[in-house]
């Protein structure tokens, strides 16, 4: 019954749309060159007879552009494209009510001597669209010397927590893609990877809160797609960048982006070396309470200092080759190698309820982390016609991580020393493949369909030894060896229908997951095995209505999933300090989200949204404490969360030399769950982001900042407000080939993470200060042509390894 009702409603919408356009007309412009061949991506501007702009659009692959929903009258139009003479219609074009006018245009190539002319233009930092937000990274000069992770936290609606987790408009659970494919890492490993990539390698970042069913259903908050630089133009393009930054400790980012396109072959390589030093100051004040949860029983005060030094090599290279006009293949290789060494020390002081010191201890910590990755992706693309395409992708990837820890605690009261040593190697292997097929039936109807399968295997060893003064012994209680396999299969279908006013994109994705976990036993812990499988449907609907040439409304409704990272299922033990342990949770289950967003887009300069989402099986950090004062930190499902939010994004050009983009979002979050006792948490939180771009001749400058109010992502933890301000200037030299940038971020050192964690019969105030106030100078030299965004060979694994926590 429901499917017939849905079909009836769809037909009604379609008929109403047709009825409404009877008073309007349309104009289709077909543009060819002298061959004749279609001119793709030509800019066509429709103007009134007195030269006022009505609409601006780009021609499609057939060289056509359609202006629909236009009031009857006389119009003119202009067309332009790099390498062609501009075209301006000599005679007025009439558009009649209820009729479709068609005009054919031929654009002539420019004389050859004009090919040496350098054409420069500035893209806006942020492009606001109904279904996504596009950030043009090269337009933000405060990104100089920053990693991709640091650049992300300055984007509208994006926040990074103190553990490196990424949230979008207050909602955690974001699917991170690079060139349309997964980063294959999660947690601390994802943070390390994005921290090793420089923002100089990135051309665009797309933020999609409601991606179509073609994308993985993973990520309840949406998708962030990071597009690296690559050129589709014939010839050579390259950029060398050297960056030096100074906070409390020095940092450097040096990279090469190179592209050579000749004939049917397009070769690219992106390499980056990141070398850094940083620190963390952590202060924690933990109060232990009596049974009434009010009276203080004792206090634990901790000061912790940690210094980390490390480097990361990342490389992505490959070649795309056009076998003929309709068929292309591509191969891409990727590799990453990182090493981080950390030294830390802390002092812990126990106090009576009156504040008198009872005892104290000092601790030294040493961590070493390494991660190696090698991967290969292959791609096949076939265009059967202007309306039909087929794409096949496959990935093979492998990761190896290593980690050692040394923890030594000294008690001056009795002179005793406890030492723990840990060795935590691991591996991860993924094989995946997918196929996508799209068909455009006519200008109003089309569909896409596809399939994907993947298989994952991972193994992690945690071997601990301890010395309490009588020599080192195996710590069988904390040691384990964990093996895990997972298979995923998915199919999807998307239908598209539109007329002059309405467009409907509806999709359905089916996913099946099966996994097996095996914790190998020892003399103290029994062998344990767990197996689980589940399947689900993930619908997606986007309904868009063009009220007129200035206003557009859209409604998005979808269902998404977040799967727990593989490592979180491992019942490992990780020693943070003597009084805090982290453990895994084999009972960790996926969380599911239903969400809906209503959007109004005015001229691409003002975008307003209201949204509502409900999460079942809500992911949260969980904190437990025992009578001995030990706090155990894990993650799991706690119940449900409801988030009602609203946001406004505005882009203005007050004067010719000043462009400002700002976004404000507010959401009311309610979390209900049980952690020993039932907890009902509610908070109203807000975030604001502003970016000012200034251009004076060849000089450019930027002033940007963001602010996050008191917020809550975990059921037991509330974060205090935080934010930062950044400034930068830029100037090109040597005919725009050499660019020098100077900037400073977090200039007031306000990017401080602090808050309150509510534990079982205890609570803890914490404050984290990092090396975030940094001054940076960057020098880049361009060889050949400028870069532009284009399609990389797409990989098939778009979900799995994001969940692969490595030592987090």
């Amino acid at each position: 019954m429901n499917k017939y009702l849905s079909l009836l409603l769809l037909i009604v919408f379609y008929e109403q749309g047709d009825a409404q356009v009877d008073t309007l007309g349309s104009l289709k412009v077909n543009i060819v060159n002298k061959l004749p061949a279609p001119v793709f991506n030509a800019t066509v501007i429709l103007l009134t007879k007195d030269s006022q702009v009505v609409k601006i659009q780009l021609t499609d692959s057939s060289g056509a552009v359609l202006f629909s929903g236009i009031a009857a009258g006389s119009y003119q139009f202009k067309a332009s494209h790099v390498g062609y003479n501009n075209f301006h219609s000599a005679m007025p074009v009439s558009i009649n009510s209820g009729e479709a006018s068609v005009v054919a245009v031929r654009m002539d190539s420019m004389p050859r001597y004009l090919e040496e002319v350098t054409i420069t233009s500035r893209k806006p930092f942020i492009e606001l669209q109904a279904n996504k937000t596009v950030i043009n990274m090269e337009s933000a000069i405060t990104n100089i010397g920053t990693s991709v992770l640091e650049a992300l936290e300055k984007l509208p609606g994006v926040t990074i927590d103190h553990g490196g987790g990424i949230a979008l408009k207050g909602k955690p659970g974001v699917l991170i893609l690079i060139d349309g494919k997964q980063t294959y890492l999660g947690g601390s490993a994802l943070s390390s990877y994005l921290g090793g990539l420089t923002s100089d390698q990135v051309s665009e970042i797309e933020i999609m809160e409601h991606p179509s069913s073609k994308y993985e259903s993973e990520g309840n908050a949406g998708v962030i797609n990071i597009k690296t630089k690559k050129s589709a133009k014939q010839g050579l393009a390259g950029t060398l960048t050297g960056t030096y930054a100074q906070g409390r400790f020095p940092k450097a980012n040096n990279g090469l982006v190179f592209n050579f396109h000749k004939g049917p072959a397009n070769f690219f390589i992106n390499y980056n070396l990141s070398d850094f030093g940083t620190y963390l100051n952590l202060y924690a004040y933990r109060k232990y309470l009596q049974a009434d949860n009010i009276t203080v029983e004792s206090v634990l005060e901790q000061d912790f200092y940690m210094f980390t030094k490390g480097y990361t090599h990342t490389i992505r290279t490959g070649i795309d080759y056009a076998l003929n006009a309709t068929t292309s293949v591509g191969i891409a290789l990727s590799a990453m190698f990182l090493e981080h060494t950390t030294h830390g020390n802390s002092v812990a002081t126990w106090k009576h309820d009156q504040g008198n010191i009872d005892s104290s201890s000092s601790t030294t910590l040493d961590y070493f982390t390494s991660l190696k990755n090698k991967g290969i992706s292959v791609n096949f693309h076939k265009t059967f016609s202007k309306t039909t395409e087929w794409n096949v992708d496959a990935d093979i990837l492998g990761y190896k991580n290593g980690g050692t820890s040394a923890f030594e605690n000294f008690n001056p009261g009795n002179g005793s020393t406890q030492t723990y040593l840990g060795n935590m190697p691991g591996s991860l292997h993924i094989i995946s493949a997918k196929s996508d097929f799209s068909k455009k039936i006519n200008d109003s109807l089309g569909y896409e369909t596809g399939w994907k399968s993947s298989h994952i295997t991972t193994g992690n060893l945690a071997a601990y030894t301890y010395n309490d003064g009588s020599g080192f012994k195996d710590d069988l209680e904390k040691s384990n060896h964990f093996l895990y396999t997972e298979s995923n299969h998915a199919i999807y279908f998307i239908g598209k229908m539109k007329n002059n006013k309405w467009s409907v994109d509806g999709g359905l994705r089916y996913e099946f997951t099966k996994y097996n976990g095996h914790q190998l036993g020892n003399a103290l812990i029994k062998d344990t095995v767990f197996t689980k499988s589940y399947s689900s449907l993930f619908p997606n609907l986007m309904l868009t209505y063009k009220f007129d040439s200035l206003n557009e409304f859209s409604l998005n409704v979808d269902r998404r999933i977040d799967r727990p990272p593989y490592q979180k299922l491992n019942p490992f033990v990780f020693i943070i300090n003597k009084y805090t342990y982290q453990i895994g949770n084999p009972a960790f289950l996926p969380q599911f989200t239903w969400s809906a967003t209503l959007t109004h887009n005015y001229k691409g300069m003002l975008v307003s949204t209201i949204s509502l989402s409900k999460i079942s099986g809500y992911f949260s950090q969980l904190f437990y404490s025992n009578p001995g004062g030990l706090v155990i930190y894990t993650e799991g499902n706690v119940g449900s969360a409801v988030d009602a939010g609203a946001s406004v994004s505005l882009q203005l050009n007050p004067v010719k030399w000043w462009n400002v983009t700002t976004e404000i979002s507010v959401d009311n979050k309610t979390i209900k769950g049980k952690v020993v006792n039932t907890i009902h948490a509610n908070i109203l939180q807000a975030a604001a982001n502003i970016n000012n771009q200034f251009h004076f001749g060849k000089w450019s400058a930027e002033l940007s900042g963001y602010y996050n109010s008191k917020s809550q992502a975990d059921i037991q933890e509330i974060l205090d407000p935080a934010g930062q301000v950044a400034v930068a200037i830029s100037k090109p030299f040597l005919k725009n080939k050499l660019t020098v940038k100077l900037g400073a971020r977090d200039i007031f050192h306000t990017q401080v993470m602090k808050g309150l964690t509510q534990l079982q019969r205890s609570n803890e105030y914490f404050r984290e200060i990092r090396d975030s106030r940094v001054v940076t100078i960057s020098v880049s030299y361009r060889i050949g042509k400028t870069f532009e965004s284009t399609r990389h060979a797409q990989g098939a694994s778009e979900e799995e390894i994001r969940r692969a926590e490595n030592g987090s």
Side-chain angles (χ1 to χ4, degrees):
M1 179 66 183
N2 288 336
K3 65 180 182 180
Y4 295 114
L5 179 59
S6 300
L7 181 59
L8 178 60
L9 288 174
L10 196 59
I11 294 172
V12 170
F13 284 141
Y14 192 86
E15 293 293 339
Q16 288 178 343
D18 279 345
Q20 292 174 355
V21 299
D22 286 341
T23 60
L24 303 172
S26 64
L27 172 66
K28 184 176 183 180
V29 180
N30 295 308
I31 302 179
V32 298
N33 57 25
K34 65 180 181 180
L35 292 178
V39 178
F40 172 59
N41 256 359
T43 301
V44 183
I45 305 175
L46 182 66
L47 307 104
T48 62
K49 60 183 179 181
D50 54 357
S51 299
Q52 293 187 7
V53 176
V54 179
K55 280 189 177 183
I56 302 175
Q57 293 183 201
L58 298 176
T59 56
D60 59 21
S61 58
S62 65
V65 62
L66 176 66
F67 296 105
S68 57
I70 307 299
S74 294
Y75 294 86
Q76 55 180 322
F77 65 91
K78 297 179 180 179
S80 61
H81 194 286
V82 175
Y84 291 88
N85 291 319
N86 292 338
F87 179 87
H88 190 172
S89 56
M91 300 292 292
V93 178
S94 296
I95 298 180
N96 301 316
S97 299
E99 295 183 6
S101 302
V102 179
V103 177
V105 172
R106 194 187 89 169
M107 294 183 68
D108 295 323
S109 300
M110 286 184 177
R112 190 169 184 82
Y113 66 85
L114 290 178
E115 293 180 3
E116 300 301 320
V117 173
T118 300
I119 300 174
T120 60
S121 62
R122 293 189 182 101
K123 291 183 178 180
F125 172 52
I126 296 176
E127 297 178 41
L128 303 175
Q129 302 176 18
N131 61 337
K132 66 181 177 181
T133 300
V134 179
I135 291 88
N136 298 300
M137 295 295 287
E138 289 187 325
S139 298
I141 58 177
T142 56
N143 285 331
I144 61 170
T146 63
S147 66
V148 170
L149 186 67
E150 291 167 333
L152 282 174
E153 68 182 351
K154 298 193 302 177
L155 299 185
V158 180
T159 54
I160 312 293
D161 65 24
H162 57 92
I166 301 173
L168 184 57
K169 292 187 178 178
K171 296 189 292 183
V174 180
L175 177 66
I176 301 294
L177 307 178
I178 294 183
D179 294 322
K181 57 182 293 185
Q182 256 294 348
T183 56
Y184 307 115
L185 296 169
S188 62
L190 176 59
S191 298
S192 297
Y193 183 83
L194 295 178
L197 284 176
T198 173
S199 56
D200 291 324
Q201 295 176 289
V202 178
S203 61
E204 292 180 355
I205 295 180
E206 296 177 328
I207 301 176
M208 296 172 279
E209 294 184 60
H210 297 274
S212 75
S213 298
K214 181 177 180 178
Y215 291 92
E216 304 292 337
S217 58
E218 184 85 7
N220 86 88
V223 168
I224 295 178
N225 183 27
I226 301 165
K227 293 185 175 181
T228 57
K229 291 180 179 177
K230 185 180 177 184
S231 178
K233 299 176 182 178
Q234 291 284 331
L236 182 148
T239 303
L240 284 167
T241 303
T243 302
Y244 176 81
Q246 183 67 54
R248 180 179 296 183
F249 300 100
K251 315 167 202 302
N253 254 324
N254 302 294
L256 165 67
V257 182
F258 178 84
N259 201 108
F260 182 67
H261 190 178
K262 185 174 182 180
N266 190 3
F267 170 77
F268 64 91
I269 181 170
N270 287 5
Y271 169 76
N272 186 71
L273 169 61
S274 172
D275 190 356
F276 72 95
T278 188
Y279 76 92
L280 167 67
N281 270 337
L282 171 63
Y283 172 77
Y285 187 84
R286 187 181 299 169
K287 293 191 294 187
Y288 293 89
L289 308 175
Q290 295 183 7
D292 61 3
N293 276 320
I294 298 175
T295 307
V296 177
E297 189 173 81
S298 60
V299 171
L300 174 62
E301 192 171 11
Q302 296 183 85
D303 275 302
F304 180 71
Y305 176 81
M306 183 170 66
F307 169 72
T308 301
K309 183 173 179 58
Y311 62 87
T312 305
H313 294 274
T314 58
I315 185 169
R316 299 169 62 82
T317 185
I319 187 169
D320 298 326
Y321 190 86
L323 299 175
N324 52 49
T326 62
T327 308
S328 64
V329 294
I331 183 169
L333 306 174
S334 62
M336 177 180 65
F337 178 71
L338 69 83
E339 285 190 355
H340 293 171
T341 302
T342 300
H343 304 285
N345 58 77
S346 68
V347 175
T349 304
W350 282 94
K351 298 180 179 180
H352 295 295
D353 58 337
Q354 301 300 320
N356 299 320
I357 296 177
D358 177 73
S359 62
S360 64
S361 62
S362 60
T363 303
T364 58
L365 297 168
D366 289 285
Y367 298 126
F368 172 78
T369 302
S370 67
L371 180 64
K372 299 177 182 179
N373 155 247
K374 294 179 181 179
I376 180 171
S377 301
V378 294
N379 168 260
F380 172 83
H381 181 78
K382 175 69 175 179
T383 301
F384 295 98
S385 66
K386 295 179 181 178
T387 61
T388 308
E389 294 184 356
W390 180 40
N391 199 75
V392 179
D393 302 277
D395 287 335
I396 301 176
L397 295 106
Y399 283 84
K400 286 187 178 180
N401 65 285
T404 61
S405 65
F407 164 83
E408 185 174 87
N409 183 73
F410 174 69
N411 188 334
N414 55 24
S416 65
T417 299
Q418 293 177 313
T419 303
Y420 284 91
L421 300 178
N423 182 30
M424 293 158 285
S427 63
L428 176 67
H429 301 280
I430 292 182
I431 300 175
S432 65
K434 69 172 185 176
S435 174
D436 301 288
F437 179 85
S438 63
K439 173 72 175 180
K440 185 177 180 181
I441 299 173
N442 52 44
D443 289 340
S444 300
L445 293 173
Y447 67 89
E448 294 181 49
T449 186
W451 148 87
K452 178 191 171 185
S453 290
S454 61
H455 182 73
I456 304 100
T457 60
T458 181
N460 293 276
L461 175 67
Y464 284 99
T465 59
Y466 71 98
N467 184 354
D468 55 5
S470 58
F472 279 96
K473 308 178 188 66
D474 291 333
D475 190 341
L476 300 180
E477 185 178 1
K478 297 182 180 65
S479 301
N480 80 54
H481 190 184
F482 184 68
L483 305 176
Y484 180 88
T485 61
E486 179 177 300
S487 296
N488 290 289
H489 305 281
I491 56 173
Y492 75 89
F493 180 85
I494 301 171
K496 301 180 179 182
M497 181 171 65
K498 67 177 181 179
N499 59 27
N500 289 335
K501 284 288 186 179
W502 291 92
S503 68
V504 180
D505 287 11
L508 185 64
R509 188 179 183 94
Y510 170 80
E511 294 187 356
F512 172 80
T513 300
K514 181 177 181 180
Y515 62 83
N516 300 280
H518 183 192
Q519 181 185 8
L520 279 67
N522 55 41
L524 185 63
I525 299 175
K526 291 197 312 181
D527 223 50
T528 58
V529 176
F530 58 88
T531 299
K532 187 173 182 61
S533 63
Y534 56 90
S535 61
S536 194
L537 292 171
F538 300 96
N540 178 286
L541 174 67
M542 180 177 178
L543 182 65
T544 302
Y545 174 69
K546 289 187 177 181
F547 183 78
D548 54 30
S549 61
L550 302 178
N551 296 277
E552 182 178 274
F553 297 87
S554 60
L555 173 66
N556 288 272
V557 180
D558 63 13
R559 182 175 188 252
R560 301 187 67 79
I561 186 175
D562 283 296
R563 297 178 176 87
Y566 313 126
Q567 185 69 14
K568 301 294 185 180
L569 299 169
N570 178 3
F572 69 98
V573 175
F574 182 77
I575 301 173
I576 298 175
N577 56 51
K578 181 180 179 180
Y579 304 103
T580 309
Y581 287 2
Q582 180 182 0
I583 66 173
N585 181 8
F588 207 168
L589 299 173
Q591 69 176 13
F592 294 88
T593 304
W594 276 102
S595 61
T597 300
L598 180 63
T599 303
H600 170 233
N601 188 329
Y602 175 73
K603 293 177 64 175
M605 60 174 286
L606 176 64
V607 177
S608 308
T609 70
I610 56 174
S611 62
L612 179 66
S613 65
K614 181 175 182 180
I615 304 174
S616 57
Y618 185 69
F619 284 2
S620 181
Q621 298 181 91
L622 306 175
F623 300 88
Y624 301 91
S625 59
N626 65 20
L630 177 68
V631 169
I632 298 173
Y633 153 59
T634 186
E635 293 183 59
N637 312 93
V638 296
S640 63
V642 176
D643 191 304
S647 70
V648 176
S649 301
L650 178 64
Q651 189 169 73
L652 294 174
N653 201 180
V655 291
K656 184 178 180 180
W657 46 266
W658 178 24
N659 183 275
V660 58
T661 303
T662 184
E663 177 175 291
I664 299 174
S665 63
V666 179
D667 61 296
N668 185 79
K669 180 180 291 184
T670 301
I671 309 172
K672 297 180 180 179
K674 186 173 183 179
V675 185
V676 181
N677 300 311
T678 300
I679 300 175
H680 184 170
N682 180 266
I683 192 168
L684 181 66
Q685 57 193 43
N689 183 290
I690 188 168
N691 182 281
N692 296 275
Q693 300 278 331
F694 307 97
H695 301 288
F696 308 99
K698 288 193 173 184
W699 287 88
S700 297
E702 181 182 331
L703 172 64
S704 64
Y706 68 87
Y707 171 81
N708 298 319
S709 74
K710 181 175 287 189
S711 60
Q712 185 167 9
D714 297 298
I715 195 168
Q716 293 174 276
E717 186 173 273
I718 296 177
L719 297 177
D720 288 348
Q724 68 152 280
V725 175
V727 295
I729 58 174
S730 171
K731 188 177 188 301
F733 299 90
L734 303 178
K735 297 182 178 179
N736 297 327
K737 295 225 176 249
L738 180 72
T739 302
V740 179
K741 301 176 182 178
L742 177 66
R745 55 189 172 87
D746 197 14
I747 57 179
F748 302 111
H749 213 186
T750 51
Q751 192 180 355
V752 177
M753 292 287 184
K754 54 185 178 178
L756 182 68
T757 304
Q758 299 284 350
L759 309 174
Q760 180 189 4
R761 288 185 57 181
S762 65
N763 58 61
E764 180 178 280
Y765 167 80
F766 67 90
R767 181 183 66 244
E768 293 184 7
I769 302 176
R770 300 175 184 267
D771 200 7
S772 57
R773 181 160 56 184
V774 177
V775 176
T776 306
I777 184 168
S778 171
V779 179
S780 61
Y781 185 78
R782 179 170 58 85
I783 305 168
K785 301 180 180 181
T786 56
F787 284 96
E788 60 185 19
S789 300
T790 188
R791 182 182 184 276
H792 284 275
Q794 302 292 305
S797 304
E798 293 184 354
E799 169 188 3
E800 291 75 25
I801 310 188
R802 184 186 69 85
R803 299 166 46 218
E805 295 280 348
N806 289 273
S808 59

